[in-house]
Short mmCIF file of all heavy atoms in Angstrom, two decimals:
data_model
loop_
_atom_site.label_atom_id
_atom_site.label_comp_id
_atom_site.label_asym_id
_atom_site.label_seq_id
_atom_site.Cartn_x
_atom_site.Cartn_y
_atom_site.Cartn_z
N MET A 1 18.90 3.54 26.55
CA MET A 1 17.49 3.77 26.35
C MET A 1 17.25 4.05 24.86
O MET A 1 17.93 4.86 24.25
CB MET A 1 17.07 4.98 27.19
CG MET A 1 15.60 5.27 27.07
SD MET A 1 15.05 6.46 28.30
CE MET A 1 14.96 7.92 27.30
N THR A 2 16.26 3.36 24.28
CA THR A 2 15.94 3.58 22.86
C THR A 2 14.82 4.59 22.75
O THR A 2 13.95 4.68 23.61
CB THR A 2 15.52 2.27 22.17
OG1 THR A 2 14.37 1.77 22.83
CG2 THR A 2 16.63 1.24 22.19
N MET A 3 14.90 5.35 21.68
CA MET A 3 13.88 6.36 21.45
C MET A 3 12.84 5.81 20.49
O MET A 3 13.17 5.37 19.39
CB MET A 3 14.54 7.61 20.86
CG MET A 3 13.62 8.78 20.76
SD MET A 3 14.58 10.25 20.34
CE MET A 3 13.88 10.62 18.76
N GLY A 4 11.59 5.80 20.90
CA GLY A 4 10.51 5.32 20.03
C GLY A 4 10.12 6.38 19.03
O GLY A 4 10.60 7.52 19.07
N PRO A 5 9.21 6.04 18.11
CA PRO A 5 8.79 7.01 17.11
C PRO A 5 7.99 8.14 17.76
O PRO A 5 7.31 7.95 18.75
CB PRO A 5 7.92 6.20 16.16
CG PRO A 5 7.51 4.99 16.91
CD PRO A 5 8.57 4.75 17.95
N LEU A 6 8.12 9.31 17.18
CA LEU A 6 7.31 10.44 17.61
C LEU A 6 5.87 10.17 17.23
O LEU A 6 5.60 9.46 16.25
CB LEU A 6 7.80 11.72 16.95
CG LEU A 6 9.22 12.17 17.32
CD1 LEU A 6 9.65 13.33 16.44
CD2 LEU A 6 9.29 12.54 18.78
N PRO A 7 4.91 10.73 17.97
CA PRO A 7 3.50 10.45 17.65
C PRO A 7 3.13 10.72 16.18
O PRO A 7 2.42 9.94 15.58
CB PRO A 7 2.74 11.37 18.60
CG PRO A 7 3.67 11.56 19.76
CD PRO A 7 5.06 11.54 19.16
N LYS A 8 3.64 11.81 15.60
CA LYS A 8 3.30 12.12 14.20
C LYS A 8 3.94 11.10 13.26
O LYS A 8 3.32 10.68 12.28
CB LYS A 8 3.73 13.53 13.84
CG LYS A 8 2.83 14.57 14.47
CD LYS A 8 3.21 15.96 14.06
CE LYS A 8 2.31 16.95 14.79
NZ LYS A 8 2.63 18.31 14.46
N GLN A 9 5.18 10.69 13.53
CA GLN A 9 5.83 9.69 12.70
C GLN A 9 5.10 8.36 12.83
O GLN A 9 4.91 7.65 11.86
CB GLN A 9 7.30 9.52 13.08
CG GLN A 9 7.99 8.41 12.34
CD GLN A 9 7.86 8.50 10.83
OE1 GLN A 9 7.92 9.58 10.26
NE2 GLN A 9 7.65 7.39 10.17
N ASN A 10 4.70 8.04 14.04
CA ASN A 10 3.96 6.81 14.28
C ASN A 10 2.66 6.81 13.46
O ASN A 10 2.31 5.79 12.84
CB ASN A 10 3.66 6.68 15.78
CG ASN A 10 3.18 5.31 16.16
OD1 ASN A 10 3.56 4.32 15.56
ND2 ASN A 10 2.33 5.27 17.16
N GLU A 11 1.97 7.92 13.44
CA GLU A 11 0.71 8.03 12.69
C GLU A 11 0.96 7.96 11.19
O GLU A 11 0.22 7.32 10.46
CB GLU A 11 -0.02 9.32 13.07
CG GLU A 11 -1.38 9.46 12.43
CD GLU A 11 -2.39 8.38 12.79
OE1 GLU A 11 -2.15 7.58 13.72
OE2 GLU A 11 -3.44 8.32 12.12
N LEU A 12 2.01 8.63 10.71
CA LEU A 12 2.33 8.58 9.29
C LEU A 12 2.67 7.15 8.87
O LEU A 12 2.19 6.67 7.83
CB LEU A 12 3.51 9.51 8.97
CG LEU A 12 3.94 9.59 7.51
CD1 LEU A 12 2.79 10.05 6.62
CD2 LEU A 12 5.12 10.53 7.37
N ASN A 13 3.46 6.46 9.66
CA ASN A 13 3.80 5.07 9.37
C ASN A 13 2.54 4.20 9.36
O ASN A 13 2.36 3.35 8.49
CB ASN A 13 4.82 4.57 10.39
CG ASN A 13 5.40 3.24 10.01
OD1 ASN A 13 5.79 3.03 8.86
ND2 ASN A 13 5.46 2.33 10.95
N ARG A 14 1.67 4.42 10.33
CA ARG A 14 0.42 3.65 10.41
C ARG A 14 -0.44 3.88 9.17
O ARG A 14 -0.99 2.94 8.58
CB ARG A 14 -0.35 4.03 11.68
CG ARG A 14 -1.55 3.14 11.97
CD ARG A 14 -2.38 3.69 13.12
NE ARG A 14 -3.10 4.89 12.73
CZ ARG A 14 -4.19 4.90 11.94
NH1 ARG A 14 -4.67 3.78 11.45
NH2 ARG A 14 -4.80 6.03 11.65
N LEU A 15 -0.55 5.14 8.74
CA LEU A 15 -1.34 5.45 7.54
C LEU A 15 -0.73 4.83 6.28
O LEU A 15 -1.46 4.31 5.42
CB LEU A 15 -1.49 6.96 7.38
CG LEU A 15 -2.41 7.64 8.40
CD1 LEU A 15 -2.30 9.15 8.29
CD2 LEU A 15 -3.85 7.19 8.22
N ASN A 16 0.59 4.89 6.15
CA ASN A 16 1.25 4.24 5.01
C ASN A 16 0.95 2.75 4.98
O ASN A 16 0.66 2.18 3.93
CB ASN A 16 2.76 4.49 5.04
CG ASN A 16 3.13 5.86 4.54
OD1 ASN A 16 2.45 6.44 3.72
ND2 ASN A 16 4.23 6.39 5.06
N LYS A 17 1.02 2.11 6.14
CA LYS A 17 0.73 0.68 6.21
C LYS A 17 -0.75 0.39 5.92
O LYS A 17 -1.08 -0.60 5.28
CB LYS A 17 1.14 0.12 7.57
CG LYS A 17 2.66 0.06 7.73
CD LYS A 17 3.07 -0.58 9.04
CE LYS A 17 4.55 -0.59 9.20
NZ LYS A 17 5.29 -1.31 8.19
N ALA A 18 -1.63 1.28 6.36
CA ALA A 18 -3.06 1.11 6.09
C ALA A 18 -3.35 1.20 4.60
O ALA A 18 -4.18 0.45 4.07
CB ALA A 18 -3.87 2.14 6.88
N ILE A 19 -2.69 2.12 3.91
CA ILE A 19 -2.88 2.24 2.46
C ILE A 19 -2.36 0.99 1.77
O ILE A 19 -3.03 0.43 0.88
CB ILE A 19 -2.20 3.52 1.92
CG1 ILE A 19 -2.95 4.76 2.41
CG2 ILE A 19 -2.13 3.50 0.39
CD1 ILE A 19 -2.25 6.07 2.16
N SER A 20 -1.19 0.50 2.18
CA SER A 20 -0.65 -0.75 1.60
C SER A 20 -1.61 -1.91 1.84
O SER A 20 -1.85 -2.72 0.94
CB SER A 20 0.72 -1.07 2.20
OG SER A 20 1.66 -0.13 1.79
N GLU A 21 -2.14 -1.99 3.05
CA GLU A 21 -3.09 -3.06 3.38
C GLU A 21 -4.37 -2.94 2.56
O GLU A 21 -4.93 -3.94 2.12
CB GLU A 21 -3.41 -3.03 4.88
CG GLU A 21 -4.31 -4.14 5.34
CD GLU A 21 -3.67 -5.52 5.30
OE1 GLU A 21 -2.44 -5.63 5.16
OE2 GLU A 21 -4.42 -6.51 5.41
N PHE A 22 -4.81 -1.70 2.33
CA PHE A 22 -6.00 -1.48 1.49
C PHE A 22 -5.79 -2.08 0.10
O PHE A 22 -6.65 -2.81 -0.41
CB PHE A 22 -6.30 0.02 1.38
CG PHE A 22 -7.39 0.32 0.39
CD1 PHE A 22 -8.72 0.23 0.75
CD2 PHE A 22 -7.08 0.65 -0.92
CE1 PHE A 22 -9.73 0.48 -0.17
CE2 PHE A 22 -8.07 0.90 -1.86
CZ PHE A 22 -9.40 0.81 -1.48
N TYR A 23 -4.65 -1.79 -0.52
CA TYR A 23 -4.38 -2.31 -1.86
C TYR A 23 -4.16 -3.82 -1.85
O TYR A 23 -4.56 -4.51 -2.79
CB TYR A 23 -3.22 -1.56 -2.53
CG TYR A 23 -3.68 -0.23 -3.06
CD1 TYR A 23 -3.49 0.95 -2.36
CD2 TYR A 23 -4.35 -0.15 -4.28
CE1 TYR A 23 -3.94 2.17 -2.83
CE2 TYR A 23 -4.81 1.06 -4.78
CZ TYR A 23 -4.61 2.21 -4.05
OH TYR A 23 -5.07 3.41 -4.54
N HIS A 24 -3.57 -4.34 -0.79
CA HIS A 24 -3.43 -5.79 -0.67
C HIS A 24 -4.82 -6.44 -0.63
O HIS A 24 -5.09 -7.40 -1.35
CB HIS A 24 -2.63 -6.16 0.59
CG HIS A 24 -2.69 -7.61 0.90
ND1 HIS A 24 -1.92 -8.55 0.25
CD2 HIS A 24 -3.45 -8.30 1.79
CE1 HIS A 24 -2.20 -9.75 0.72
NE2 HIS A 24 -3.12 -9.63 1.65
N ASP A 25 -5.69 -5.91 0.22
CA ASP A 25 -7.06 -6.44 0.33
C ASP A 25 -7.82 -6.30 -0.98
O ASP A 25 -8.60 -7.18 -1.36
CB ASP A 25 -7.82 -5.75 1.46
CG ASP A 25 -7.29 -6.10 2.84
OD1 ASP A 25 -6.51 -7.07 2.97
OD2 ASP A 25 -7.66 -5.38 3.80
N LEU A 26 -7.59 -5.20 -1.68
CA LEU A 26 -8.22 -4.99 -2.98
C LEU A 26 -7.79 -6.08 -3.97
O LEU A 26 -8.62 -6.64 -4.69
CB LEU A 26 -7.87 -3.60 -3.51
CG LEU A 26 -8.50 -3.20 -4.84
CD1 LEU A 26 -10.02 -3.14 -4.74
CD2 LEU A 26 -7.95 -1.83 -5.25
N CYS A 27 -6.50 -6.39 -3.98
CA CYS A 27 -6.00 -7.46 -4.87
C CYS A 27 -6.62 -8.80 -4.51
O CYS A 27 -7.00 -9.57 -5.40
CB CYS A 27 -4.47 -7.53 -4.80
SG CYS A 27 -3.66 -6.14 -5.61
N VAL A 28 -6.74 -9.08 -3.22
CA VAL A 28 -7.39 -10.32 -2.78
C VAL A 28 -8.82 -10.35 -3.29
O VAL A 28 -9.29 -11.36 -3.84
CB VAL A 28 -7.32 -10.46 -1.24
CG1 VAL A 28 -8.20 -11.61 -0.76
CG2 VAL A 28 -5.88 -10.66 -0.78
N GLN A 29 -9.53 -9.24 -3.14
CA GLN A 29 -10.92 -9.14 -3.59
C GLN A 29 -11.02 -9.34 -5.11
O GLN A 29 -11.95 -9.97 -5.60
CB GLN A 29 -11.48 -7.78 -3.19
CG GLN A 29 -12.95 -7.59 -3.48
CD GLN A 29 -13.45 -6.23 -3.01
OE1 GLN A 29 -12.81 -5.56 -2.20
NE2 GLN A 29 -14.59 -5.83 -3.53
N LEU A 30 -10.03 -8.82 -5.85
CA LEU A 30 -10.02 -8.97 -7.31
C LEU A 30 -9.54 -10.36 -7.74
O LEU A 30 -9.66 -10.73 -8.91
CB LEU A 30 -9.12 -7.91 -7.94
CG LEU A 30 -9.59 -6.47 -7.85
CD1 LEU A 30 -8.50 -5.51 -8.33
CD2 LEU A 30 -10.88 -6.25 -8.65
N GLY A 31 -8.96 -11.11 -6.80
CA GLY A 31 -8.47 -12.45 -7.10
C GLY A 31 -7.16 -12.44 -7.87
O GLY A 31 -6.91 -13.35 -8.66
N ILE A 32 -6.33 -11.42 -7.64
CA ILE A 32 -5.05 -11.32 -8.34
C ILE A 32 -3.93 -11.03 -7.34
O ILE A 32 -4.18 -10.54 -6.25
CB ILE A 32 -5.07 -10.25 -9.45
CG1 ILE A 32 -5.35 -8.85 -8.86
CG2 ILE A 32 -6.07 -10.61 -10.53
CD1 ILE A 32 -5.27 -7.72 -9.87
N SER A 33 -2.71 -11.31 -7.76
CA SER A 33 -1.56 -10.99 -6.91
C SER A 33 -1.25 -9.49 -7.03
O SER A 33 -1.65 -8.83 -7.98
CB SER A 33 -0.34 -11.80 -7.33
OG SER A 33 0.14 -11.35 -8.58
N GLU A 34 -0.52 -9.00 -6.05
CA GLU A 34 -0.13 -7.59 -6.08
C GLU A 34 0.80 -7.31 -7.25
O GLU A 34 0.73 -6.23 -7.85
CB GLU A 34 0.50 -7.19 -4.75
CG GLU A 34 -0.52 -7.17 -3.63
CD GLU A 34 0.08 -6.89 -2.27
OE1 GLU A 34 0.65 -5.80 -2.09
OE2 GLU A 34 -0.02 -7.76 -1.40
N SER A 35 1.65 -8.27 -7.62
CA SER A 35 2.55 -8.04 -8.76
C SER A 35 1.77 -7.96 -10.07
O SER A 35 2.09 -7.14 -10.94
CB SER A 35 3.66 -9.09 -8.82
OG SER A 35 3.13 -10.38 -8.88
N VAL A 36 0.73 -8.77 -10.22
CA VAL A 36 -0.11 -8.70 -11.42
C VAL A 36 -0.83 -7.35 -11.45
O VAL A 36 -0.88 -6.69 -12.49
CB VAL A 36 -1.11 -9.88 -11.47
CG1 VAL A 36 -2.19 -9.65 -12.52
CG2 VAL A 36 -0.36 -11.18 -11.74
N PHE A 37 -1.35 -6.93 -10.31
CA PHE A 37 -2.00 -5.62 -10.22
C PHE A 37 -1.01 -4.53 -10.63
O PHE A 37 -1.33 -3.66 -11.44
CB PHE A 37 -2.51 -5.38 -8.80
CG PHE A 37 -3.14 -4.02 -8.61
CD1 PHE A 37 -4.47 -3.81 -8.93
CD2 PHE A 37 -2.40 -2.97 -8.09
CE1 PHE A 37 -5.06 -2.56 -8.76
CE2 PHE A 37 -2.98 -1.72 -7.91
CZ PHE A 37 -4.31 -1.51 -8.24
N ASP A 38 0.21 -4.58 -10.07
CA ASP A 38 1.22 -3.57 -10.37
C ASP A 38 1.56 -3.53 -11.86
O ASP A 38 1.73 -2.46 -12.44
CB ASP A 38 2.50 -3.83 -9.56
CG ASP A 38 2.34 -3.53 -8.08
OD1 ASP A 38 1.37 -2.83 -7.70
OD2 ASP A 38 3.19 -4.00 -7.31
N ILE A 39 1.68 -4.69 -12.48
CA ILE A 39 2.03 -4.76 -13.90
C ILE A 39 0.94 -4.12 -14.75
O ILE A 39 1.22 -3.25 -15.59
CB ILE A 39 2.29 -6.22 -14.33
CG1 ILE A 39 3.60 -6.71 -13.73
CG2 ILE A 39 2.29 -6.35 -15.86
CD1 ILE A 39 3.79 -8.22 -13.81
N PHE A 40 -0.29 -4.52 -14.55
CA PHE A 40 -1.37 -4.00 -15.38
C PHE A 40 -1.66 -2.53 -15.08
O PHE A 40 -1.98 -1.76 -15.99
CB PHE A 40 -2.63 -4.85 -15.25
CG PHE A 40 -2.55 -6.13 -16.04
CD1 PHE A 40 -2.33 -7.35 -15.42
CD2 PHE A 40 -2.67 -6.12 -17.42
CE1 PHE A 40 -2.24 -8.52 -16.14
CE2 PHE A 40 -2.60 -7.28 -18.16
CZ PHE A 40 -2.38 -8.49 -17.52
N TYR A 41 -1.50 -2.13 -13.82
CA TYR A 41 -1.68 -0.72 -13.46
C TYR A 41 -0.60 0.11 -14.16
O TYR A 41 -0.90 1.17 -14.73
CB TYR A 41 -1.60 -0.56 -11.94
CG TYR A 41 -2.13 0.76 -11.44
CD1 TYR A 41 -3.39 0.84 -10.86
CD2 TYR A 41 -1.38 1.93 -11.53
CE1 TYR A 41 -3.89 2.05 -10.38
CE2 TYR A 41 -1.87 3.13 -11.07
CZ TYR A 41 -3.13 3.19 -10.49
OH TYR A 41 -3.62 4.39 -10.03
N ALA A 42 0.64 -0.37 -14.12
CA ALA A 42 1.74 0.35 -14.76
C ALA A 42 1.53 0.44 -16.28
O ALA A 42 1.75 1.51 -16.87
CB ALA A 42 3.07 -0.33 -14.45
N ILE A 43 1.11 -0.64 -16.90
CA ILE A 43 0.86 -0.61 -18.34
C ILE A 43 -0.26 0.39 -18.66
O ILE A 43 -0.19 1.12 -19.65
CB ILE A 43 0.54 -2.02 -18.89
CG1 ILE A 43 1.78 -2.92 -18.81
CG2 ILE A 43 0.02 -1.94 -20.33
CD1 ILE A 43 1.52 -4.38 -19.11
N SER A 44 -1.26 0.45 -17.78
CA SER A 44 -2.34 1.43 -17.97
C SER A 44 -1.80 2.85 -17.96
O SER A 44 -2.25 3.71 -18.71
CB SER A 44 -3.40 1.30 -16.87
OG SER A 44 -4.06 0.08 -16.96
N ALA A 45 -0.82 3.10 -17.09
CA ALA A 45 -0.24 4.44 -16.97
C ALA A 45 0.81 4.71 -18.03
O ALA A 45 0.86 5.82 -18.59
CB ALA A 45 0.37 4.61 -15.57
N LEU A 46 1.66 3.72 -18.30
CA LEU A 46 2.81 3.92 -19.19
C LEU A 46 2.48 3.71 -20.66
O LEU A 46 3.16 4.22 -21.53
CB LEU A 46 3.95 2.98 -18.79
CG LEU A 46 4.50 3.15 -17.38
CD1 LEU A 46 5.43 2.00 -17.02
CD2 LEU A 46 5.20 4.49 -17.25
N GLY A 47 1.47 2.89 -20.93
CA GLY A 47 1.08 2.59 -22.30
C GLY A 47 1.58 1.23 -22.76
O GLY A 47 2.59 0.72 -22.27
N ASP A 48 0.87 0.68 -23.69
CA ASP A 48 1.22 -0.60 -24.29
C ASP A 48 2.59 -0.49 -24.94
O ASP A 48 2.91 0.53 -25.55
CB ASP A 48 0.15 -0.93 -25.35
CG ASP A 48 -0.13 -2.41 -25.48
OD1 ASP A 48 0.32 -3.19 -24.63
OD2 ASP A 48 -0.82 -2.77 -26.44
#
């Protein structure tokens, strides 16, 4: 018998995936890839 995720773990995993999906959809809306978003976001944080 396999043990499924606990309800709290299931919810945490769902929320993590929802946040990832939010940023994916945001990139689609901006017309850019997630890697391009990550690069420019990182440069904004780390500096030129």
Side-chain angles (χ1 to χ4, degrees):
M1 182 169 102
T2 60
M3 188 169 116
L6 296 172
K8 287 183 183 179
Q9 175 54 39
N10 193 32
E11 185 61 11
L12 182 58
N13 190 46
R14 189 188 71 75
L15 289 171
N16 281 331
K17 289 184 182 300
I19 291 169
S20 292
E21 183 69 14
F22 172 84
Y23 281 98
H24 169 79
D25 291 346
L26 182 62
C27 288
V28 170
Q29 185 178 343
L30 292 172
I32 61 175
S33 70
E34 291 176 62
S35 57
V36 167
F37 178 84
D38 289 343
I39 289 166
F40 282 105
Y41 196 102
I43 292 170
S44 294
L46 299 169
D48 213 11

